[in-house]
Amino acid sequence: MQRRRLLLASGIAATAPALWPVAARAAAPLKIGFIYSGPIADIGWTYQHDLGRLMVEKEFGNKVQTVYVEKVPESADADRVIRQLVNDGCKMIFTTSFGFMDPTIRVAADFPDVAFEHCSGYKTAKNVGIYQTRFYEGAYLIGLLGGKMTKTNTFGYVAPFPIPEVIRNLSAWTLGARAVNPKVGVKVVWINSWYDPGREREAAQALIDQGADVLYQNTDSSAVVSLAQSKGLYAFGQDSDMTRFGPKAHLSGNTLNWGVYYVHKVRQMLEGKWKSEDTKWGMKEGIVQVVPPNAEVPKDVAALFEAKKAEILAGKFHPFTGPIKDTTGAVRVPAGQTLAEDELWKMKWYADGVLGKQP
């Protein structure tokens, strides 16, 4: 279900002109704004961000006041919405999608006393921090499951936009699958939307028509998992646990708990310790969480999944450890080495095994 576009929690807006230190102010709550690209609904990327917002409210009570705006276009319209939140008294703003990067930077330049946090981007400023997840850790693990379960050796990936975050997940999923089944090939359909159930379903059907019997999405709705359930195929959900939409089809899911990060950064603000940082958290920090394999997965395959998960948690394995080739056959990561951080977060190439040309 959708909620109204603007939700006000308890409390009143903070009016003190200075950003730091918040701890030294009077009892007025810290007003925090969240900008969402999609509808909150009850699953998906935006829903998980909003659960994080609610964790902030639960953790800090009347010390904070949160507001949000959903379904904000990733365009110049975002400038207006962000600016309005500042004018409404927000002293901390989280912009939660890649397309909000430039609007965040532009507005932040005009309001140096406001702390901004942008998700999935790479541009920072003195009052703009960025945060991303090592989502590729979960993508690798579910690829491993799929590689063991496929009968056609053809995977299908429903993709939104060709940005590094999405290409990274696609390549990690492919690497996980081919680590246990080198015959796997991954076909991709780009829909140019984060949330469009109709187009997601159409893309999934097109991939099924091309022989895919294992599906994964980097989009928000349950359409792909539901279709796989109706066809007797396998699928992996994204962002939220989508098991209820495909009890047999949904082998696992790659999910996020943004709340652990939001509580961390809001605590910094309340203690007067906030600063602009480039944060990348994964499974170890609890922000990336994989759904346990369902009963359709054989015990030996589930055990392999858990063993590799333990290696990632212990820092003993990185999904982008070589040798890794791209689709042209060029070696991108030599044997025994790990893809450099700057290359990983700006990734624009497909790992070997992804089929078709990049858009």
Side-chain angles (χ1 to χ4, degrees):
M1 64 179 179
Q2 294 186 12
R3 308 180 189 178
R4 65 181 185 266
R5 289 177 60 82
L6 184 63
L7 176 67
L8 299 180
S10 62
I12 58 174
T15 57
L19 171 60
W20 300 284
V22 175
R25 297 181 189 171
L30 170 67
K31 190 170 184 179
I32 309 166
F34 291 79
I35 305 287
Y36 302 145
S37 60
I40 291 175
D42 60 356
I43 56 168
W45 175 267
T46 293
Y47 175 68
Q48 296 302 129
H49 280 284
D50 200 57
L51 289 180
R53 179 187 66 81
L54 294 175
M55 279 184 64
V56 168
E57 289 188 351
K58 183 177 181 180
E59 179 73 18
F60 299 108
N62 60 11
K63 294 180 181 178
V64 300
Q65 174 189 4
T66 73
V67 299
Y68 71 77
V69 185
E70 62 182 331
K71 297 187 289 187
V72 178
E74 296 182 74
S75 65
D77 285 347
D79 294 59
R80 175 185 54 79
V81 175
I82 299 169
R83 192 175 297 276
Q84 184 61 54
L85 285 179
V86 175
N87 290 334
D88 288 344
C90 289
K91 287 298 181 179
M92 187 176 202
I93 296 176
F94 293 91
T95 56
T96 64
S97 193
F98 181 84
F100 296 146
M101 179 171 63
D102 288 335
T104 301
I105 292 293
R106 286 193 292 266
V107 176
D110 293 335
F111 299 97
D113 63 336
V114 176
F116 294 85
E117 291 274 343
H118 176 244
C119 180
S120 298
Y122 54 85
K123 294 182 180 180
T124 63
K126 186 176 181 180
N127 63 328
V128 181
I130 56 176
Y131 58 106
Q132 303 188 59
T133 72
R134 299 187 182 276
F135 219 177
Y136 59 83
E137 294 175 341
Y140 183 94
L141 287 173
I142 63 175
L144 185 152
L145 282 183
K148 284 288 190 179
M149 300 297 288
T150 181
K151 294 180 175 62
T152 66
N153 295 323
T154 301
F155 280 19
Y157 187 77
V158 178
F161 300 98
I163 61 175
E165 171 190 334
V166 177
I167 293 171
R168 203 164 50 240
N169 288 341
L170 167 61
S171 291
W173 190 48
T174 305
L175 291 170
R178 287 169 66 87
V180 296
N181 183 354
K183 295 180 180 179
V184 167
V186 181
K187 297 182 178 181
V188 187
V189 173
W190 296 91
I191 68 168
N192 296 312
S193 175
W194 291 110
Y195 179 86
D196 189 324
R199 294 172 71 183
E200 290 171 59
R201 185 181 179 89
E202 290 175 2
Q205 184 61 61
L207 291 163
I208 292 170
D209 292 342
Q210 296 175 56
D213 65 348
V214 176
L215 303 171
Y216 181 35
Q217 62 193 71
N218 215 135
T219 51
D220 282 0
S221 86
S222 61
V224 175
V225 173
S226 295
L227 181 62
Q229 177 74 15
S230 70
K231 299 288 186 179
L233 304 175
Y234 295 128
F236 299 100
Q238 179 85 343
D239 301 319
S240 300
D241 184 351
M242 298 183 179
T243 301
R244 70 184 188 273
F245 301 102
K248 291 187 176 180
H250 190 257
L251 296 179
S252 178
N254 198 11
T255 72
L256 294 170
N257 177 8
W258 294 105
V260 295
Y261 180 76
Y262 291 151
V263 167
H264 168 70
K265 295 305 289 188
V266 171
R267 180 172 287 112
Q268 285 186 343
M269 278 289 290
L270 291 173
E271 295 176 353
K273 298 177 181 178
W274 185 92
K275 61 181 178 180
S276 171
E277 297 176 288
D278 181 353
T279 304
K280 299 177 177 72
W281 283 0
M283 290 171 57
K284 183 177 70 172
E285 294 83 5
I287 199 167
V288 176
Q289 301 176 343
V290 286
V291 177
N294 77 11
E296 297 293 307
V297 178
K299 290 183 179 180
D300 62 327
V301 178
L304 178 63
F305 171 93
E306 294 296 341
K308 188 59 67 174
K309 175 183 173 183
E311 288 185 31
I312 293 174
L313 285 168
K316 296 180 179 179
F317 176 76
H318 192 293
F320 285 95
T321 297
I324 299 175
K325 295 181 179 180
D326 64 20
T327 54
T328 70
V331 175
R332 290 285 186 162
V333 187
Q337 297 185 24
T338 299
L339 188 63
E341 279 283 302
D342 59 341
E343 175 71 10
L344 182 65
W345 298 102
K346 296 179 181 179
M347 191 171 184
K348 297 180 180 179
W349 49 270
Y350 286 168
D352 187 30
V354 180
L355 307 176
K357 295 183 178 180
Q358 293 182 238

